Amino acid sequence: MTDVCLFCDGLREEKTQETFVRPSALSRRGLASLALLPFLAHRAVAQPQQPDGPVTIIVPYTAGTGPDILARLVGVHLQPRLSQPVVVDNRAGASGLIGTQAVSRAAPDGRTLMLQPNTFVMNASLFQQVPYDPVKGFTPIALLTRGDLALVVHPDVPARDARAFAELARAKPGAVDYASPGNGTPQHLGMALFALTAKVELTHIPYRGSAPAIQDLLGKRVAAMFLPVHTALPLVKEGQIRMLAIGSEKRSASAPEVPTLAEAGFPGVQADLWYGLLGPAGLPGALVRRLNTELNAWLAEPATTEALQAQGMVATPSTPEAFGELVARDYVRWASVIKQAEITAG
């Protein structure tokens, strides 16, 4: 965008000079240059909108995970619209740090992009040395989806709502434990934020993934956890768990009868999942807007909405600026939770 603005300034200067210089004084070379201005202006605007080669979407996690599935859907949509091959590259390792660092070091030409969940923002404060800045090190392109998390408990836990659960934990400091898919996950930090807000002491039991954590919740080896709503609902219907509250800002469309934690008396406790597309810092503004427009159009399609709902996600069109604000806001918010709760990556 800078080049375009500078070029426009130059064009205005040429027009000003024409007011004072007779046409006969212009050289043939000068006239030829003026004739090229419309062509150059078109190139200055159009070039940054299109990657000049194959596009790679790096997913810093293994194949088959939520970010990987979403990245492949995005690739299928973008490939014909960019007239370039779009491939997904899974670069897992170090809790996502390896793939994320690779994108932070890539050239800002639109050929290397990255699909991330909000854990990449959390990792920046969770680990002592992170080789990137989640706010300054990347260009936000589009927020894609959000997923609601629900606070759930085993049916034998004597609490029918979030306030009663907090009172139970307050009466037995440290005796009430909760599961998560691992240290630093949204489920872990969401419960840590709840504990800080409710001023209660809970014991965290981290697992390697959601499946074993859910298994121990069903087996009453842990009392509670945050679960994606679409994962929790079948278990709620079967009477295997009880849903106390929704961690998102608004009630879930899948469980509209369940109040949010804010409605339950815990304002500011917001825990959810989101996924977004980013690129290296310095991506041309025209290219960012082009990608954002294409992705928002895709998110608005009924078929896309249905496919995402099947994965427990809600299509969330946005502007690059709004997505950037979300990244910056979550970075500050979760850094505060991690510091107050003294959470480490280990």
mmCIF file of all heavy atoms in Angstrom, residues 36-63:
data_model
loop_
_atom_site.group_PDB
_atom_site.id
_atom_site.type_symbol
_atom_site.label_atom_id
_atom_site.label_comp_id
_atom_site.label_asym_id
_atom_site.label_seq_id
_atom_site.Cartn_x
_atom_site.Cartn_y
_atom_site.Cartn_z
ATOM 1 N N LEU A 36 2.660 6.014 -19.590
ATOM 2 C CA LEU A 36 2.785 4.749 -18.872
ATOM 3 C C LEU A 36 2.121 4.760 -17.499
ATOM 4 O O LEU A 36 1.946 3.718 -16.889
ATOM 5 C CB LEU A 36 4.273 4.396 -18.688
ATOM 6 C CG LEU A 36 5.005 3.865 -19.919
ATOM 7 C CD1 LEU A 36 6.494 3.748 -19.605
ATOM 8 C CD2 LEU A 36 4.458 2.510 -20.340
ATOM 9 N N LEU A 37 1.734 5.939 -17.021
ATOM 10 C CA LEU A 37 1.217 6.043 -15.653
ATOM 11 C C LEU A 37 0.006 5.155 -15.396
ATOM 12 O O LEU A 37 -0.038 4.455 -14.370
ATOM 13 C CB LEU A 37 0.878 7.502 -15.327
ATOM 14 C CG LEU A 37 2.091 8.419 -15.130
ATOM 15 C CD1 LEU A 37 1.628 9.837 -14.851
ATOM 16 C CD2 LEU A 37 2.972 7.925 -13.984
ATOM 17 N N PRO A 38 -1.012 5.132 -16.261
ATOM 18 C CA PRO A 38 -2.155 4.254 -15.975
ATOM 19 C C PRO A 38 -1.747 2.785 -15.879
ATOM 20 O O PRO A 38 -2.235 2.043 -15.029
ATOM 21 C CB PRO A 38 -3.096 4.496 -17.161
ATOM 22 C CG PRO A 38 -2.717 5.838 -17.680
ATOM 23 C CD PRO A 38 -1.228 5.929 -17.475
ATOM 24 N N PHE A 39 -0.836 2.353 -16.748
ATOM 25 C CA PHE A 39 -0.374 0.966 -16.724
ATOM 26 C C PHE A 39 0.374 0.657 -15.430
ATOM 27 O O PHE A 39 0.152 -0.367 -14.780
ATOM 28 C CB PHE A 39 0.542 0.715 -17.937
ATOM 29 C CG PHE A 39 1.218 -0.631 -17.898
ATOM 30 C CD1 PHE A 39 0.505 -1.793 -18.145
ATOM 31 C CD2 PHE A 39 2.577 -0.736 -17.590
ATOM 32 C CE1 PHE A 39 1.131 -3.031 -18.106
ATOM 33 C CE2 PHE A 39 3.193 -1.973 -17.548
ATOM 34 C CZ PHE A 39 2.464 -3.119 -17.806
ATOM 35 N N LEU A 40 1.247 1.577 -15.014
ATOM 36 C CA LEU A 40 2.013 1.382 -13.788
ATOM 37 C C LEU A 40 1.100 1.394 -12.575
ATOM 38 O O LEU A 40 1.302 0.640 -11.627
ATOM 39 C CB LEU A 40 3.086 2.467 -13.664
ATOM 40 C CG LEU A 40 4.211 2.410 -14.705
ATOM 41 C CD1 LEU A 40 5.117 3.622 -14.538
ATOM 42 C CD2 LEU A 40 5.007 1.123 -14.588
ATOM 43 N N ALA A 41 0.097 2.271 -12.607
ATOM 44 C CA ALA A 41 -0.845 2.318 -11.489
ATOM 45 C C ALA A 41 -1.584 1.004 -11.355
ATOM 46 O O ALA A 41 -1.790 0.484 -10.265
ATOM 47 C CB ALA A 41 -1.835 3.465 -11.692
ATOM 48 N N HIS A 42 -1.986 0.424 -12.492
ATOM 49 C CA HIS A 42 -2.688 -0.857 -12.453
ATOM 50 C C HIS A 42 -1.797 -1.950 -11.871
ATOM 51 O O HIS A 42 -2.216 -2.735 -11.030
ATOM 52 C CB HIS A 42 -3.122 -1.232 -13.872
ATOM 53 C CG HIS A 42 -3.703 -2.615 -13.949
ATOM 54 N ND1 HIS A 42 -4.960 -2.927 -13.479
ATOM 55 C CD2 HIS A 42 -3.178 -3.791 -14.415
ATOM 56 C CE1 HIS A 42 -5.198 -4.215 -13.662
ATOM 57 N NE2 HIS A 42 -4.133 -4.766 -14.230
ATOM 58 N N ARG A 43 -0.548 -1.979 -12.288
ATOM 59 C CA ARG A 43 0.373 -2.986 -11.789
ATOM 60 C C ARG A 43 0.632 -2.810 -10.293
ATOM 61 O O ARG A 43 0.712 -3.764 -9.542
ATOM 62 C CB ARG A 43 1.695 -2.920 -12.542
ATOM 63 C CG ARG A 43 1.611 -3.434 -13.965
ATOM 64 C CD ARG A 43 2.989 -3.646 -14.534
ATOM 65 N NE ARG A 43 3.702 -4.648 -13.767
ATOM 66 C CZ ARG A 43 4.976 -4.961 -13.978
ATOM 67 N NH1 ARG A 43 5.674 -4.345 -14.922
ATOM 68 N NH2 ARG A 43 5.579 -5.872 -13.252
ATOM 69 N N ALA A 44 0.731 -1.551 -9.842
ATOM 70 C CA ALA A 44 1.008 -1.293 -8.424
ATOM 71 C C ALA A 44 -0.125 -1.792 -7.546
ATOM 72 O O ALA A 44 0.084 -2.237 -6.432
ATOM 73 C CB ALA A 44 1.228 0.204 -8.200
ATOM 74 N N VAL A 45 -1.361 -1.722 -8.055
ATOM 75 C CA VAL A 45 -2.500 -2.172 -7.268
ATOM 76 C C VAL A 45 -2.683 -3.678 -7.386
ATOM 77 O O VAL A 45 -2.938 -4.368 -6.428
ATOM 78 C CB VAL A 45 -3.781 -1.441 -7.730
ATOM 79 C CG1 VAL A 45 -5.009 -2.047 -7.059
ATOM 80 C CG2 VAL A 45 -3.678 0.042 -7.413
ATOM 81 N N ALA A 46 -2.536 -4.230 -8.595
ATOM 82 C CA ALA A 46 -2.896 -5.620 -8.836
ATOM 83 C C ALA A 46 -1.838 -6.616 -8.372
ATOM 84 O O ALA A 46 -2.172 -7.707 -7.952
ATOM 85 C CB ALA A 46 -3.169 -5.817 -10.324
ATOM 86 N N GLN A 47 -0.571 -6.279 -8.470
ATOM 87 C CA GLN A 47 0.477 -7.249 -8.177
ATOM 88 C C GLN A 47 0.382 -7.874 -6.784
ATOM 89 O O GLN A 47 0.430 -9.088 -6.670
ATOM 90 C CB GLN A 47 1.857 -6.611 -8.375
ATOM 91 C CG GLN A 47 2.581 -7.188 -9.579
ATOM 92 C CD GLN A 47 3.966 -6.596 -9.759
ATOM 93 O OE1 GLN A 47 4.338 -5.628 -9.102
ATOM 94 N NE2 GLN A 47 4.724 -7.163 -10.656
ATOM 95 N N PRO A 48 0.229 -7.073 -5.709
ATOM 96 C CA PRO A 48 0.231 -7.666 -4.370
ATOM 97 C C PRO A 48 -0.977 -8.538 -4.081
ATOM 98 O O PRO A 48 -0.997 -9.236 -3.092
ATOM 99 C CB PRO A 48 0.237 -6.439 -3.448
ATOM 100 C CG PRO A 48 0.651 -5.295 -4.299
ATOM 101 C CD PRO A 48 0.155 -5.623 -5.665
ATOM 102 N N GLN A 49 -2.016 -8.487 -4.923
ATOM 103 C CA GLN A 49 -3.221 -9.254 -4.646
ATOM 104 C C GLN A 49 -3.068 -10.733 -4.980
ATOM 105 O O GLN A 49 -3.890 -11.539 -4.578
ATOM 106 C CB GLN A 49 -4.396 -8.687 -5.460
ATOM 107 C CG GLN A 49 -4.792 -7.284 -5.070
ATOM 108 C CD GLN A 49 -5.974 -6.788 -5.874
ATOM 109 O OE1 GLN A 49 -6.391 -7.419 -6.842
ATOM 110 N NE2 GLN A 49 -6.521 -5.653 -5.496
ATOM 111 N N GLN A 50 -2.041 -11.098 -5.698
ATOM 112 C CA GLN A 50 -1.917 -12.452 -6.211
ATOM 113 C C GLN A 50 -0.544 -13.050 -5.908
ATOM 114 O O GLN A 50 0.473 -12.512 -6.344
ATOM 115 C CB GLN A 50 -2.122 -12.433 -7.731
ATOM 116 C CG GLN A 50 -2.119 -13.789 -8.390
ATOM 117 C CD GLN A 50 -3.330 -14.614 -7.994
ATOM 118 O OE1 GLN A 50 -4.418 -14.089 -7.853
ATOM 119 N NE2 GLN A 50 -3.125 -15.904 -7.771
ATOM 120 N N PRO A 51 -0.481 -14.157 -5.156
ATOM 121 C CA PRO A 51 0.813 -14.837 -4.969
ATOM 122 C C PRO A 51 1.368 -15.266 -6.326
ATOM 123 O O PRO A 51 0.606 -15.663 -7.210
ATOM 124 C CB PRO A 51 0.448 -16.048 -4.105
ATOM 125 C CG PRO A 51 -0.844 -15.695 -3.456
ATOM 126 C CD PRO A 51 -1.564 -14.838 -4.434
ATOM 127 N N ASP A 52 2.674 -15.184 -6.492
ATOM 128 C CA ASP A 52 3.268 -15.495 -7.791
ATOM 129 C C ASP A 52 3.736 -16.937 -7.896
ATOM 130 O O ASP A 52 4.563 -17.277 -8.744
ATOM 131 C CB ASP A 52 4.436 -14.544 -8.075
ATOM 132 C CG ASP A 52 5.542 -14.676 -7.042
ATOM 133 O OD1 ASP A 52 5.387 -15.483 -6.102
ATOM 134 O OD2 ASP A 52 6.569 -13.965 -7.173
ATOM 135 N N GLY A 53 3.210 -17.802 -7.046
ATOM 136 C CA GLY A 53 3.581 -19.207 -7.085
ATOM 137 C C GLY A 53 2.717 -20.020 -6.141
ATOM 138 O O GLY A 53 1.763 -19.495 -5.540
ATOM 139 N N PRO A 54 2.988 -21.314 -5.994
ATOM 140 C CA PRO A 54 2.208 -22.180 -5.105
ATOM 141 C C PRO A 54 2.143 -21.635 -3.681
ATOM 142 O O PRO A 54 3.107 -21.050 -3.187
ATOM 143 C CB PRO A 54 2.973 -23.510 -5.152
ATOM 144 C CG PRO A 54 3.708 -23.477 -6.450
ATOM 145 C CD PRO A 54 4.081 -22.045 -6.674
ATOM 146 N N VAL A 55 1.010 -21.842 -3.038
ATOM 147 C CA VAL A 55 0.787 -21.363 -1.674
ATOM 148 C C VAL A 55 0.840 -22.550 -0.709
ATOM 149 O O VAL A 55 0.217 -23.587 -0.956
ATOM 150 C CB VAL A 55 -0.570 -20.654 -1.560
ATOM 151 C CG1 VAL A 55 -0.840 -20.234 -0.105
ATOM 152 C CG2 VAL A 55 -0.630 -19.444 -2.487
ATOM 153 N N THR A 56 1.574 -22.391 0.372
ATOM 154 C CA THR A 56 1.664 -23.413 1.411
ATOM 155 C C THR A 56 1.003 -22.896 2.682
ATOM 156 O O THR A 56 1.338 -21.812 3.161
ATOM 157 C CB THR A 56 3.130 -23.775 1.715
ATOM 158 O OG1 THR A 56 3.732 -24.327 0.544
ATOM 159 C CG2 THR A 56 3.210 -24.796 2.841
ATOM 160 N N ILE A 57 0.049 -23.674 3.189
ATOM 161 C CA ILE A 57 -0.556 -23.348 4.488
ATOM 162 C C ILE A 57 0.094 -24.269 5.521
ATOM 163 O O ILE A 57 -0.130 -25.482 5.526
ATOM 164 C CB ILE A 57 -2.082 -23.562 4.484
ATOM 165 C CG1 ILE A 57 -2.746 -22.666 3.427
ATOM 166 C CG2 ILE A 57 -2.657 -23.254 5.869
ATOM 167 C CD1 ILE A 57 -4.257 -22.868 3.331
ATOM 168 N N ILE A 58 0.921 -23.687 6.363
ATOM 169 C CA ILE A 58 1.592 -24.472 7.404
ATOM 170 C C ILE A 58 0.657 -24.662 8.597
ATOM 171 O O ILE A 58 0.058 -23.701 9.096
ATOM 172 C CB ILE A 58 2.897 -23.797 7.849
ATOM 173 C CG1 ILE A 58 3.938 -23.873 6.714
ATOM 174 C CG2 ILE A 58 3.450 -24.448 9.114
ATOM 175 C CD1 ILE A 58 5.274 -23.240 7.045
ATOM 176 N N VAL A 59 0.516 -25.900 9.008
ATOM 177 C CA VAL A 59 -0.245 -26.242 10.209
ATOM 178 C C VAL A 59 0.758 -26.812 11.207
ATOM 179 O O VAL A 59 1.342 -27.866 10.963
ATOM 180 C CB VAL A 59 -1.343 -27.287 9.908
ATOM 181 C CG1 VAL A 59 -2.052 -27.699 11.198
ATOM 182 C CG2 VAL A 59 -2.344 -26.733 8.901
ATOM 183 N N PRO A 60 0.979 -26.120 12.326
ATOM 184 C CA PRO A 60 2.016 -26.572 13.281
ATOM 185 C C PRO A 60 1.595 -27.753 14.142
ATOM 186 O O PRO A 60 2.083 -27.911 15.256
ATOM 187 C CB PRO A 60 2.246 -25.317 14.141
ATOM 188 C CG PRO A 60 1.628 -24.189 13.403
ATOM 189 C CD PRO A 60 0.474 -24.795 12.676
ATOM 190 N N TYR A 61 0.671 -28.573 13.634
ATOM 191 C CA TYR A 61 0.165 -29.717 14.390
ATOM 192 C C TYR A 61 0.022 -30.908 13.453
ATOM 193 O O TYR A 61 0.132 -30.768 12.233
ATOM 194 C CB TYR A 61 -1.178 -29.363 15.056
ATOM 195 C CG TYR A 61 -1.087 -28.102 15.880
ATOM 196 C CD1 TYR A 61 -1.464 -26.871 15.340
ATOM 197 C CD2 TYR A 61 -0.588 -28.133 17.179
ATOM 198 C CE1 TYR A 61 -1.339 -25.700 16.081
ATOM 199 C CE2 TYR A 61 -0.470 -26.972 17.931
ATOM 200 C CZ TYR A 61 -0.847 -25.758 17.377
ATOM 201 O OH TYR A 61 -0.714 -24.610 18.097
ATOM 202 N N THR A 62 -0.237 -32.069 14.008
ATOM 203 C CA THR A 62 -0.284 -33.287 13.220
ATOM 204 C C THR A 62 -1.532 -33.358 12.343
ATOM 205 O O THR A 62 -2.524 -32.662 12.582
ATOM 206 C CB THR A 62 -0.251 -34.525 14.138
ATOM 207 O OG1 THR A 62 -1.342 -34.436 15.078
ATOM 208 C CG2 THR A 62 1.055 -34.595 14.898
ATOM 209 N N ALA A 63 -1.464 -34.217 11.322
ATOM 210 C CA ALA A 63 -2.599 -34.420 10.422
ATOM 211 C C ALA A 63 -3.777 -35.018 11.183
ATOM 212 O O ALA A 63 -3.605 -35.804 12.118
ATOM 213 C CB ALA A 63 -2.183 -35.339 9.285
#
